[in-house]
Amino acid sequence: MIRVRFAPSPTGMFHVGGARSALFNWALAEREGGRFVLRVEDTDAARNRPEWTEGIISALAWIGINGENPVFEGPYFQSANEPQHREAVAKLLADGKAYFCDCTREQVQARTGSEHKGYDGHCRDRGLSAGAVRFRTPDEGVVVVDDVVRGRVEFPNDAQEDFVIARGDGSPLYVLANAVDDITQAITHVIRGEEHLSNAARQQLLWPALGATPPVWAHLPVIVNEQRKKLSKRRDKVALESYRDEGYLAEAMVNYLMLLGWGPGDDREIMPWSEMMPLFRLEDVIPSSAFFDEKKLRAFNGEYIRALPPEEFIARCASYLDPSWDLEVFAKVAGLAQTRVAVLSEITANVDFLFLPEPVFDQASWDKGMKNSPKEILTGYLARLETVSFDPESLKTALEEVGTEHGLKLGKAQAPVRVAVTGRTVGLPLFESIEVLGRERTIDRIRTALAKL
Ligand code: GLU
C-alpha cells in the first residue's frame, strides 16, 4: 500500500507551497487507495508555536485534507518519537556507522583552512564516547537519488561530509528524525519541496544504514513570484490562511495549487478535485519552477464563485457581511454581485449602500463622481424620481432623458447618481440597485448629496 506523508514544521503561517506539497501527496494517496500521514515536525521547540500547528491543521482541513476521508492518518507529532530517534542514533553508533566528535567549528576551520569545506573526519577513529554524533559517509563513489520528478541526481561522496545526526546533548537532528519517522511510519513515497533534495542525499544513506529500503523520492519544483524569485513570506502573500480569509474558495484554491508543477494534460485548467485527482501522476510533474500567479488565481476564484448555486453564494458571503445586515435584503442583489466579485470579501463594498443609514463617503470618489454637471443631473433626476415607475428600465430611461437635456451620455449622467446613492464610483448595476434601495431612500440620498454640492 502506498503511504505518503506531509510533514510540516509549525514555525509560521501555512505556506501555499506547503499546501501544494500536501495536495500532491493527498492526490496520490487518494487515487491509489493508500494512506496520507500528517506528521507535525515539532522538534524545534524554540521556533514552534501551538497556534501554528492548529493553523496548519485547520488550513489543511479547509482544502479537504482531514480525517473525514479514511485516507487520512494522524496527526502525529514528531516530538513524541524522540525515544526512537535516540535509539536509532545509538544503533548507528553501536554498528560503527556513526561516531562521536568533539571538534568545535573553529577547530575544523583551522584544520581545513576554509569555512566551506565541511568536516574533515578528524574524530572518525578516535573512539570518543561523548560529543556530537556524526554519520560516517562513504569515501568514494556517489549517492544516487532517483527522483521521480528530477530523474537521476548524483551526489559525489567526496563532497558529502560526515554530517551531524545528534547534538552534543544527545538531541537528534532533523535529517535523522525525519528519516527515522518515515521508516517507522512505513512511508513509501517522500514527496516534498525541492529545497529538501540535499537532505535526500543524506537520507539515501541513512535509510539503508537503519536497515530500510529508501523510499520513492519526488522533489517538487520551487514556486516563484512574478519576478521569478522564490516565493517568500517576507516578500509575497504566501499564507494559505490569508487567501481563505480574503474569500478565496477552497475549491478554487485546490484547483489552482494543483497546477503548480502539474497539469491534467489537456487544455482544461478549471477542473474539480474529483476529476483531477484520478488523473494525477507523479511522473507528470515537471521540474522547472512554477509561477504563482495571483491574478490567475483570482480569475479562477471568480469562475468558481459564478458557478455556485445562488443560495450557496449567499451562504458563503454571510461571514463577510455585517451580522446586523438582513440576508433577505442581501438576497435581492446577491445575483448581481455574484457575477462581479472575484473574492468574497469584495462583497461588502458592493452592497453596503443597502444597509448603511448613509452611503460611505470618501472624498476621492466624490470628486470623481461629481465632475460633470452634478447639480443639474441630480436636480433633474430628483424631479423624475417622485413619479417614475420604480423598475430598472424606467429608472434608466428617466436618467437618460435628464442626461440628454444636459448633453451627457448615460454613462456620464450615471456618475453623480451612483456616488450620491452608493458612495462609490463602481458597483452593481445602478438601476437594479436603486430599485432595491427604494424610492424614499433614493430621493433622500440625492437630496443629501445636493445639499453637499
Ligand atoms: N519538516 C520539513 C519542512 O517543513 C519537511 C520535511 C519533509 O517533508 O521531509 O520543511
Side-chain angles (χ1 to χ4, degrees):
M1 185 201 273
I2 281 194
R3 288 176 61 82
V4 296
R5 86 304 192 267
F6 179 57
S9 305
T11 54
M13 302 286 277
F14 188 36
H15 195 291
V16 287
R20 190 269 313 259
S21 295
L23 284 169
F24 281 20
N25 277 287
W26 186 243
L28 186 68
E30 198 175 340
R31 197 200 64 201
E32 297 293 327
R35 289 284 178 279
F36 170 106
V37 172
L38 173 58
R39 181 175 76 230
V40 180
E41 302 212 312
D42 59 343
T43 41
D44 190 347
R47 291 174 64 217
N48 295 165
R49 286 209 219 137
E51 64 265 33
W52 283 331
T53 300
E54 283 156 29
I56 291 169
I57 293 175
S58 85
L60 282 172
W62 178 63
I63 54 172
I65 300 180
N66 57 51
E68 279 169 32
N69 189 324
V71 163
F72 185 90
E73 192 180 308
Y76 300 118
F77 291 87
Q78 183 160 70
S79 54
N81 305 340
E82 199 180 320
Q84 284 103 295
H85 306 152
R86 287 182 184 258
E87 228 171 84
V89 174
K91 182 165 186 319
L92 291 172
L93 281 167
D95 293 348
K97 293 174 178 162
Y99 59 89
F100 285 110
C101 163
D102 64 0
C103 300
T104 63
R105 185 169 310 170
E106 292 71 23
Q107 289 167 341
V108 178
Q109 277 176 28
R111 284 197 304 266
T112 61
S114 157
E115 51 179 303
H116 303 297
K117 278 234 175 94
Y119 187 63
D120 59 352
H122 181 77
C123 294
R124 273 193 159 194
D125 301 308
R126 286 177 67 210
L128 300 178
S129 52
V133 180
R134 289 185 182 272
F135 183 77
R136 197 185 290 269
T137 60
D139 295 324
E140 293 167 354
V142 290
V143 180
V144 175
V145 173
D146 213 345
D147 191 278
V148 183
V149 179
R150 327 200 69 80
R152 187 185 156 95
V153 191
E154 294 189 0
F155 297 85
N157 278 323
D158 56 8
Q160 179 98 281
E161 66 172 357
D162 287 352
F163 53 90
V164 178
I165 56 174
R167 299 181 189 85
D169 63 4
S171 61
L173 258 68
Y174 159 74
V175 69
L176 177 102
N178 183 264
V180 170
D181 287 353
D182 283 343
I183 293 169
T184 0
Q185 293 171 347
I187 299 304
T188 58
H189 293 59
V190 168
I191 306 165
R192 59 186 175 188
E194 186 184 286
E195 65 276 15
H196 288 292
L197 194 57
S198 56
N199 286 323
R202 295 174 167 191
Q203 289 168 337
Q204 179 73 24
L205 293 170
L206 280 172
W207 281 60
L210 292 165
T213 309
V216 175
W217 304 107
H219 289 86
L220 308 177
V222 292
I223 302 179
V224 296
N225 67 12
E226 222 160 4
Q227 288 84 42
R228 311 309 282 178
K229 292 209 178 99
K230 189 174 178 200
L231 224 55
S232 102
K233 62 179 169 194
R234 269 166 297 281
R235 203 173 32 223
D236 308 296
K237 188 166 82 189
V238 298
L240 190 65
E241 292 95 324
S242 48
Y243 289 95
R244 177 186 60 195
D245 297 347
E246 236 181 85
Y248 282 86
L249 306 189
E251 306 90 302
M253 206 70 213
V254 166
N255 189 157
Y256 185 71
L257 291 172
M258 285 299 289
L259 301 178
L260 295 175
W262 177 79
D266 50 25
D267 285 342
R268 272 181 76 195
E269 288 198 304
I270 303 262
M271 195 187 267
W273 176 258
S274 58
E275 288 174 38
M276 226 174 206
M277 176 271 289
L279 297 175
F280 180 77
R281 278 166 36 98
L282 217 38
E283 292 76 9
D284 297 336
V285 175
I286 46 168
S288 50
S289 53
F291 171 32
F292 186 86
D293 183 351
E294 209 182 315
K295 288 198 197 83
K296 185 164 170 181
L297 169 61
R298 257 182 83 83
F300 268 49
N301 203 55
E303 284 220 26
Y304 272 89
I305 286 180
R306 288 190 286 283
L308 290 174
E311 56 299 345
E312 177 68 17
F313 174 70
I314 294 172
R316 299 227 200 174
C317 283
S319 62
Y320 294 90
L321 301 172
D322 188 289
S324 70
W325 297 356
D326 185 345
L327 282 185
E328 278 178 31
V329 175
F330 172 64
K332 293 185 189 162
V333 292
L336 300 172
Q338 187 169 358
T339 58
R340 281 173 178 74
V341 296
V343 292
L344 294 177
S345 57
E346 287 170 1
I347 196 66
T348 319
N350 275 283
V351 303
D352 59 358
F353 72 95
L354 270 180
F355 303 99
L356 301 172
E358 280 174 39
V360 291
F361 179 79
D362 101 87
Q363 192 66 47
S365 304
W366 177 268
D367 293 345
K368 196 166 164 212
M370 299 297 183
K371 264 200 305 240
N372 297 304
S373 321
K375 258 196 192 135
E376 293 74 4
I377 296 290
L378 293 179
T379 315
Y381 201 39
L382 186 60
R384 284 173 168 79
L385 280 175
E386 307 272 359
T387 53
V388 71
S389 152
F390 229 72
D391 60 82
E393 241 345 273
S394 316
L395 286 162
K396 179 176 163 201
T397 311
L399 186 57
E400 254 162 358
E401 287 166 11
V402 181
T404 311
E405 281 167 21
H406 300 281
L408 292 177
K409 290 231 165 69
L410 182 63
K412 288 235 158 83
Q414 275 195 52
V417 177
R418 184 184 285 284
V419 169
V421 172
T422 69
R424 304 183 193 270
T425 53
V426 286
L428 304 185
L430 180 61
F431 304 106
E432 279 87 347
S433 302
I434 292 178
E435 182 189 27
V436 179
L437 188 64
R439 196 185 304 266
E440 213 174 300
R441 289 166 81 199
T442 307
I443 289 177
D444 224 47
R445 287 183 183 190
I446 292 192
R447 285 213 178 104
T448 312
L450 273 168
K452 266 196 226 159
L453 277 164

